[in-house]
Amino acid sequence: MNATTVAVVAPASAGEPRSSYEAAGIELEIADRVIRARDEGVAAVVTWAMRDVGMTAAREVVDIPVVGPGLASMRVAAMLGRRFSVLVSSPGDIQAAENQVARYGLRDRFASARAIQGGARNGDDRSEVLAEALTEAVAAIEHDRAHVLILGCPSMRGLAGRLRDRLAAAGYPGVPVVEPLPVAKRLAGIFAELGLIHSRRTYPSADEFIRQARGLPLAD
Amino acid sequence: MESPKPEGAAPTWVRVIVPLRVPSRVTESAAAPFQRAGLRVDIQSVDEGGPTTLECAYNVARVEREVVDKVMAAQDEGVDAVVTDCMRDVAIATAREMVDIPVLGPAETSMHLAAMLGRRFSVLVTLPRSIEVVEDQVMWHGLTHSFASARAIGIGVETLHDDVDLLVKRLTDESVAAITDDGAHVIILGCTAMDGIGRMVGDGIAAAGHPGIPVIEPLSATIRVAQLLSELGLSQSRLTYPDSTGYLTA
């Protein structure tokens, strides 16, 4: 039923970047992998990291939709309720989320970013991650006036439904919990099917600069 | 790509509610372009006494209650998500308090989509009186930072399709003005009756020297976002839109 292929582009060395330095280290690789995915004929691309690493660089190069899970989840959260909070895995991620909020013009819709105690521990006991996410989710609702939650950490992947149920059992029914990657993938597919690509005014083509960097002759 | 639903599952059912008086034969044929595998779209309009345009607040007030009632009826029928077919986003906030299924307005939805595609968007409305409506929506939805302008093409909704060439020309001209004068990077067609001519407007903008400007047709985009939300198990927050069915009198 999904004829539209959406590629999730991740760096070869898996692992969510935990600092700007790590993000800088994978940005070029992600942009290059987006270009390769475009050349392979995919309809749209999702850059894999919550920090949307490589999204801007890739958008300047390719003419297919490129969607970052941070941008997509924050915008969808804003459609669903007054303010959102992002649950992240380390204190350093809080500033990264706040930077995204400022850059995307979403300050009016932002409640907070909160780090779960255990941090990013892939493969660890999920019930523990869930319990920590629940604690921070309740704090986000009670103290930061969040109406929508975003799971901004890979250790929480796949836990949206369970967190929503736990919140309802704790006295907070009907609080949407947004999982960034599936939302970004679906939105990228919709953009492709509707023929909507990021604006060339916002993301001017970088073709000439790439040609120069590779030592190829300029056009004309 | 992960399939949102098991094979053979019933398609996601999105109902479009037109807050205007429209003959039923029109609504039946109008649903055809939105149908696709895994998605069922039907269109329902308000009853006989409804208005023919929502370019004034009085007419919005006339239909709001009926639209909410139709959203509630849709949920009872098993509809998965509802979209209202007017950029006024008629009754959205009220309806969200009355049902659990996602309820989406094309203005709010398309503005958030536009903000994902570029720095600032402009909305092209029919008559100048709708410019303030768009500005109100932008403030209400916290989109001031992503907003360039609202511009009117000077053709009312009731005569919108009398001259399609003129409609495309006016939309193209105002788009170019929005880009060059207002700093718009994305264009939203600000009346759902303009759905279907986005490609022509985009081509016109490109021919005028501005290639690569996305032109959003709000109704078709909003239907797809409604499908997405339903299939991912998402709906409006009960903290923003508290359950108000308890206030219904028997």
XYZ file of all heavy atoms in Angstrom, chain B residues 60-112:
393
model
N -20.168 32.359 9.990
C -19.434 31.361 10.760
C -20.235 30.991 12.005
O -20.406 29.818 12.338
C -18.026 31.880 11.138
C -17.325 30.901 12.070
C -17.191 32.115 9.893
N -20.748 32.020 12.686
C -21.561 31.773 13.882
C -22.799 30.942 13.538
O -23.233 30.099 14.321
C -21.968 33.109 14.519
N -23.362 31.175 12.351
C -24.562 30.432 11.938
C -24.314 28.939 11.849
O -25.189 28.137 12.139
C -25.044 30.934 10.565
C -25.929 32.161 10.617
C -26.170 32.675 9.210
N -27.001 31.758 8.395
C -27.156 31.886 7.082
N -26.539 32.862 6.446
N -27.912 31.042 6.421
N -23.131 28.530 11.379
C -22.918 27.104 11.103
C -22.138 26.363 12.176
O -22.098 25.139 12.160
C -22.196 26.861 9.754
C -23.039 27.300 8.603
C -20.836 27.508 9.742
N -21.531 27.086 13.100
C -20.580 26.425 14.000
C -21.217 25.251 14.751
O -20.682 24.147 14.777
C -19.989 27.428 14.990
C -19.074 26.733 16.003
C -18.056 27.652 16.642
O -18.196 28.881 16.525
O -17.124 27.127 17.263
N -22.386 25.494 15.353
C -23.023 24.450 16.151
C -23.344 23.207 15.305
O -23.132 22.084 15.731
C -24.295 25.031 16.781
C -25.199 24.026 17.442
C -24.539 23.380 18.665
N -25.410 22.350 19.202
C -26.370 22.585 20.088
N -26.566 23.804 20.544
N -27.139 21.608 20.514
N -23.824 23.452 14.099
C -24.171 22.319 13.241
C -22.924 21.517 12.856
O -22.976 20.277 12.787
C -24.899 22.811 11.978
C -25.437 21.657 11.144
C -26.184 22.115 9.892
O -26.553 23.307 9.811
O -26.386 21.271 9.008
N -21.828 22.204 12.615
C -20.583 21.490 12.282
C -20.146 20.615 13.453
O -19.773 19.445 13.268
C -19.472 22.488 11.883
C -18.131 21.777 11.736
C -19.838 23.203 10.585
N -20.223 21.151 14.660
C -19.835 20.356 15.839
C -20.731 19.124 15.947
O -20.244 18.012 16.194
C -19.906 21.208 17.129
C -19.577 20.344 18.343
C -18.942 22.382 17.052
N -22.036 19.317 15.761
C -22.957 18.174 15.826
C -22.583 17.117 14.792
O -22.656 15.907 15.051
C -24.400 18.640 15.595
C -24.959 19.404 16.800
O -24.385 19.277 17.907
O -25.952 20.136 16.630
N -22.158 17.569 13.606
C -21.798 16.611 12.551
C -20.480 15.901 12.880
O -20.302 14.731 12.528
C -21.706 17.318 11.196
C -23.080 17.685 10.635
C -23.020 18.066 9.175
C -24.408 18.415 8.644
N -25.409 17.342 8.783
N -19.580 16.579 13.549
C -18.337 15.923 13.969
C -18.662 14.832 14.998
O -18.138 13.710 14.921
C -17.347 16.952 14.562
C -16.116 16.237 15.123
C -16.927 17.969 13.512
N -19.543 15.148 15.940
C -19.920 14.157 16.956
C -20.625 12.965 16.306
O -20.374 11.806 16.668
C -20.804 14.810 18.021
C -20.051 15.865 18.836
S -21.131 16.909 19.837
C -21.663 15.736 21.079
N -21.483 13.252 15.332
C -22.165 12.166 14.622
C -21.161 11.309 13.862
O -21.292 10.082 13.787
C -23.217 12.745 13.670
N -20.138 11.953 13.313
C -19.105 11.218 12.573
C -18.396 10.232 13.499
O -18.177 9.070 13.138
C -18.102 12.199 11.954
N -18.043 10.693 14.684
C -17.390 9.788 15.631
C -18.305 8.604 15.955
O -17.864 7.457 16.004
C -17.016 10.531 16.909
C -16.429 9.613 17.976
C -15.854 10.369 19.159
O -14.673 10.690 19.202
N -16.717 10.652 20.134
N -19.598 8.888 16.157
C -20.546 7.813 16.468
C -20.647 6.815 15.314
O -20.891 5.624 15.519
C -21.930 8.397 16.769
C -21.953 9.145 18.090
O -21.022 8.936 18.899
O -22.887 9.945 18.312
N -20.484 7.291 14.083
C -20.568 6.410 12.912
C -19.305 5.574 12.721
O -19.285 4.690 11.860
C -20.760 7.248 11.645
C -22.179 7.728 11.410
C -22.225 8.608 10.159
O -21.838 8.130 9.075
O -22.617 9.781 10.276
N -18.262 5.893 13.445
C -17.015 5.146 13.292
C -15.975 5.819 12.420
O -14.976 5.197 12.048
N -16.194 7.078 12.070
C -15.196 7.825 11.303
C -13.923 7.963 12.144
O -13.986 8.135 13.363
C -15.762 9.218 10.925
C -14.682 10.131 10.368
C -16.916 9.068 9.930
N -12.754 7.877 11.486
C -11.480 7.897 12.219
C -10.942 9.300 12.467
O -10.198 9.529 13.422
C -10.427 7.098 11.444
C -10.775 5.621 11.382
O -11.043 5.042 12.441
O -10.795 5.056 10.269
N -11.250 10.240 11.579
C -10.754 11.614 11.737
C -11.631 12.535 10.900
O -12.206 12.106 9.901
C -9.298 11.735 11.301
N -11.720 13.799 11.324
C -12.574 14.762 10.623
C -11.747 15.983 10.219
O -10.884 16.443 10.973
C -13.755 15.211 11.512
C -14.535 16.349 10.847
C -14.682 14.046 11.815
N -12.039 16.474 9.009
C -11.437 17.707 8.508
C -12.573 18.630 8.102
O -13.528 18.186 7.461
C -10.538 17.409 7.283
C -10.074 18.695 6.625
C -9.361 16.536 7.666
N -12.499 19.900 8.488
C -13.511 20.829 7.990
C -12.975 21.521 6.742
O -11.794 21.839 6.651
C -13.906 21.890 9.033
O -12.746 22.610 9.435
C -14.554 21.228 10.239
N -13.874 21.726 5.796
C -13.483 22.213 4.475
C -13.678 23.716 4.371
O -14.507 24.200 3.605
C -14.297 21.478 3.396
C -13.908 21.915 1.997
O -12.894 22.624 1.856
O -14.634 21.566 1.056
N -12.909 24.466 5.153
C -12.913 25.922 5.014
C -11.739 26.465 5.812
O -11.471 26.008 6.916
C -14.203 26.540 5.517
S -14.177 28.358 5.432
N -11.031 27.449 5.225
C -9.845 28.001 5.880
C -10.181 28.837 7.112
O -9.283 29.330 7.795
C -9.045 28.832 4.874
C -8.348 27.994 3.823
S -7.019 26.954 4.494
C -5.637 28.121 4.475
N -11.446 29.030 7.396
C -11.817 29.673 8.658
C -11.568 28.743 9.853
O -11.668 29.164 10.990
C -13.298 30.028 8.627
C -13.608 31.321 7.896
C -13.686 32.462 8.885
N -14.042 33.700 8.203
C -14.364 34.829 8.828
N -14.406 34.881 10.142
N -14.643 35.906 8.146
N -11.326 27.465 9.575
C -11.195 26.466 10.646
C -12.410 26.492 11.565
O -12.300 26.503 12.807
C -9.901 26.659 11.448
C -8.660 26.185 10.679
O -8.823 25.692 9.549
O -7.556 26.316 11.220
N -13.570 26.480 10.912
C -14.836 26.578 11.627
C -14.997 25.459 12.643
O -14.827 24.280 12.300
C -16.010 26.498 10.616
C -17.348 26.577 11.345
C -15.882 27.598 9.601
N -15.292 25.820 13.888
C -15.726 24.878 14.927
C -14.646 23.896 15.368
O -14.929 22.988 16.141
C -16.975 24.106 14.468
N -13.431 24.079 14.927
C -12.382 23.113 15.255
C -12.180 23.015 16.767
O -12.224 21.926 17.356
C -11.044 23.495 14.573
C -11.180 23.453 13.055
C -9.928 22.568 15.035
C -11.498 22.118 12.489
N -11.951 24.153 17.417
C -11.638 24.118 18.849
C -12.812 23.542 19.641
O -12.615 22.751 20.570
C -11.287 25.520 19.339
N -14.016 23.923 19.264
C -15.198 23.410 19.963
C -15.347 21.907 19.742
O -15.573 21.143 20.684
C -16.469 24.133 19.463
O -16.222 25.544 19.459
C -17.656 23.828 20.369
N -15.232 21.494 18.513
C -15.402 20.069 18.207
C -14.348 19.224 18.913
O -14.627 18.108 19.345
C -15.329 19.851 16.689
N -13.134 19.757 19.041
C -12.069 19.003 19.705
C -12.402 18.723 21.169
O -11.875 17.774 21.743
C -10.737 19.763 19.593
C -10.138 19.691 18.212
C -8.854 20.499 18.116
N -8.094 20.124 16.923
C -6.899 20.614 16.630
N -6.326 21.497 17.426
N -6.270 20.226 15.539
N -13.243 19.562 21.773
C -13.655 19.306 23.156
C -14.731 18.225 23.249
O -15.013 17.723 24.327
C -14.198 20.590 23.804
C -13.156 21.671 24.020
C -13.687 22.830 24.854
O -14.861 22.794 25.269
O -12.917 23.783 25.084
N -15.338 17.892 22.100
C -16.517 17.011 22.136
C -16.255 15.589 21.637
O -17.096 14.714 21.803
C -17.658 17.631 21.316
C -18.050 19.045 21.735
S -18.491 19.191 23.486
C -20.128 18.463 23.474
N -15.120 15.371 20.968
C -14.842 14.029 20.431
C -13.396 13.640 20.737
O -12.557 14.491 21.048
C -15.064 13.948 18.896
C -16.524 14.212 18.545
C -14.140 14.914 18.162
N -13.134 12.342 20.626
C -11.777 11.830 20.851
C -10.989 11.705 19.552
O -9.755 11.669 19.576
C -11.847 10.448 21.528
C -12.392 10.550 22.947
O -12.050 11.517 23.650
O -13.169 9.659 23.350
N -11.686 11.581 18.425
C -10.971 11.413 17.157
C -10.329 12.746 16.740
O -10.803 13.818 17.139
C -11.919 10.908 16.036
C -13.098 11.871 15.840
C -12.403 9.495 16.336
C -14.001 11.520 14.675
N -9.249 12.693 15.958
C -8.614 13.943 15.521
C -9.570 14.800 14.693
O -10.282 14.281 13.825
C -7.438 13.472 14.660
C -7.216 12.038 15.017
C -8.544 11.504 15.436
N -9.575 16.101 14.981
C -10.353 17.076 14.211
C -9.371 18.129 13.734
O -8.679 18.744 14.547
C -11.454 17.734 15.068
C -12.278 18.693 14.218
C -12.343 16.684 15.715
N -9.302 18.327 12.421
C -8.292 19.232 11.872
C -8.904 20.321 11.004
O -9.806 20.055 10.207
C -7.261 18.462 11.037
C -6.155 17.770 11.833
C -6.658 16.441 12.362
C -4.937 17.570 10.975
N -8.364 21.512 11.148
C -8.719 22.620 10.261
C -7.630 22.804 9.231
O -6.443 22.694 9.548
N -8.009 23.091 7.984
C -6.998 23.225 6.931
C -6.081 24.434 7.109
O -4.929 24.392 6.655
C -7.824 23.340 5.644
C -9.206 23.667 6.084
C -9.375 23.154 7.472
N -6.534 25.486 7.776
C -5.654 26.648 7.954
C -4.535 26.310 8.933
O -3.352 26.426 8.606
C -6.455 27.856 8.451
N -4.908 25.867 10.133
C -3.896 25.546 11.134
C -2.924 24.492 10.605
O -1.699 24.629 10.720
C -4.563 25.049 12.420
C -3.564 24.709 13.516
C -4.202 24.142 14.773
O -5.431 23.915 14.774
O -3.476 23.920 15.749
N -3.466 23.450 9.992
C -2.621 22.345 9.527
C -1.668 22.810 8.430
O -0.459 22.533 8.482
C -3.503 21.198 9.010
O -4.466 20.866 10.018
C -2.667 19.974 8.679
N -2.197 23.525 7.444
C -1.338 23.908 6.318
C -0.288 24.925 6.747
O 0.815 24.952 6.195
C -2.172 24.440 5.145
O -2.952 25.540 5.530
N -0.620 25.756 7.742
C 0.387 26.720 8.215
C 1.557 26.000 8.887
O 2.714 26.378 8.701
C -0.251 27.717 9.191
C -1.157 28.732 8.513
S -1.921 29.838 9.730
C -3.092 30.724 8.672
N 1.264 24.958 9.667
C 2.363 24.200 10.281
C 3.176 23.461 9.221
O 4.405 23.372 9.313
C 1.822 23.219 11.324
C 1.430 23.886 12.623
N 2.336 24.555 13.401
C 0.238 23.993 13.254
C 1.721 25.041 14.474
N 0.443 24.714 14.413
